[in-house]
Amino acid sequence: MTPHAAAREHHAPVTVRAPAKVNLGLTVGPLLDDGFHDLATVYHAVSLYEEVTATATEPGSGITLEVVGEGAAGVPTDDGNLAWRAAELVAEALGVRPDVHLLLAKGVPVAGGMAGGSADGAAALLACDTLWQGALHRDDLVPLAAALGSDVPFALHGGTAIGTGRGDRVTPVLARGTFHWVVAVSDVGLSTPEVYAECDRMRAGRPVARPEVSDELMAALRAGDAAALGVALSNDLQAPALSLRPSLHGVLDAGAAAGALGGVVSGSGPTCVFLARDDEHALDVSASLADAGVCRSVRRAVGPVHGARVVATESVLR
Ligand code: C5P
């Protein structure tokens, strides 16, 4: 048996699950020279997950990638996928060859503003490190995550956290209790750069303040007060997302009419999220939203949940 074959025997497939995010508050500051905006955001990880399974392949076979689940057809299966780039970064950091098959099972709306692609990147970092027994510490993975994208460090981290800089500097916040969300998924995604560009266009000529997280939002989280949190939800990318996709007004109105405590476009959209009092209320809101016929599908989720985690060293995909 060759050494590689022997190594492979010990390298059972590794499955990592990473969560979607909602931005409870997102303040977009000035456009910086690097093409990114200075942000202050409160990330909240919710129970919609991406699962990435990394399986060792023949030496020299390189990276292969397969995507299954809702919206899979629109997801790149080459180095345009953050999971692919994550495998390259981990291999480089460990000095090993990236011979791996990555299977992505999508549970987060594609191009929906919930950072599904970022979750794939975070999950693949952890899956490849575990597969190659690199034992990179979580702290070692954070710079690799930040190199992949602004939301990737948070997908590793999970929970509820403030994001500053491009969104890649993550600090945990104190949040009490569990919040119940209803997620309205649109038919067609929105491009994040286009939504940021629309944001710049809409406020051209006006001074842009330094971004800050709102005190009301932080107080609601500390108190675990869902009603106060519903009122405090805010997102500077909501107006540009609505400008590019006016039909989202109908989704937000339907959520309000359904009795949600609050609703907001998630990140750069077009997914909209609505806060409910509890599980039963979330069921009511989701039924009303589904009846309103304003979105492709309605999902329920809770938050906060943990960040990227190994869930199995054999595939758990069913
Ligand atoms: O970091 P990520 O690749 O997710 O960003 C996608 C795009 O979103 C960027 O190319 C940029 O156009 C925009 N963006 C931004 N400011 C940020 C984060 C993202 O303008 N802080």
Side-chain angles (χ1 to χ4, degrees), residues 164-306:
T164 53
R166 286 190 288 130
D168 57 328
R169 271 184 260 141
V170 174
T171 319
V173 304
L174 200 64
R176 203 185 295 266
T178 295
F179 297 102
H180 298 262
W181 298 94
V182 176
V183 177
V185 181
S186 288
D187 272 327
V188 185
L190 274 172
S191 144
T192 301
E194 281 174 27
V195 175
Y196 273 102
E198 181 68 0
C199 179
D200 291 336
R201 195 193 62 76
M202 289 174 79
R203 60 191 193 182
R206 279 189 278 139
V208 178
R210 248 189 87 226
E212 279 181 8
V213 168
S214 95
D215 292 341
E216 293 74 21
L217 177 56
M218 297 309 289
L221 286 170
R222 272 195 306 276
D225 183 337
L229 179 60
V231 176
L233 296 172
S234 77
N235 178 6
D236 282 356
L237 293 180
Q238 178 161 304
L242 286 165
S243 163
L244 294 174
R245 186 71 57 77
S247 61
L248 292 179
H249 283 288
V251 182
L252 291 172
D253 290 349
L261 300 175
V264 73
V265 168
S266 177
S268 56
T271 306
C272 295
V273 294
F274 300 96
L275 187 58
R277 278 190 303 277
D278 50 31
D279 203 27
E280 203 176 324
H281 186 214
L283 254 177
D284 285 350
V285 172
S286 57
S288 302
L289 259 176
D291 281 349
V294 287
C295 50
R296 188 186 68 207
S297 62
V298 180
R299 315 268 300 269
R300 281 178 297 132
V302 294
V305 296
H306 58 72

Side-chain angles (χ1 to χ4, degrees), residues 144-159:
L144 304 186
L148 288 174
S150 309
D151 296 331
V152 184
F154 176 71
L156 273 180
H157 193 282

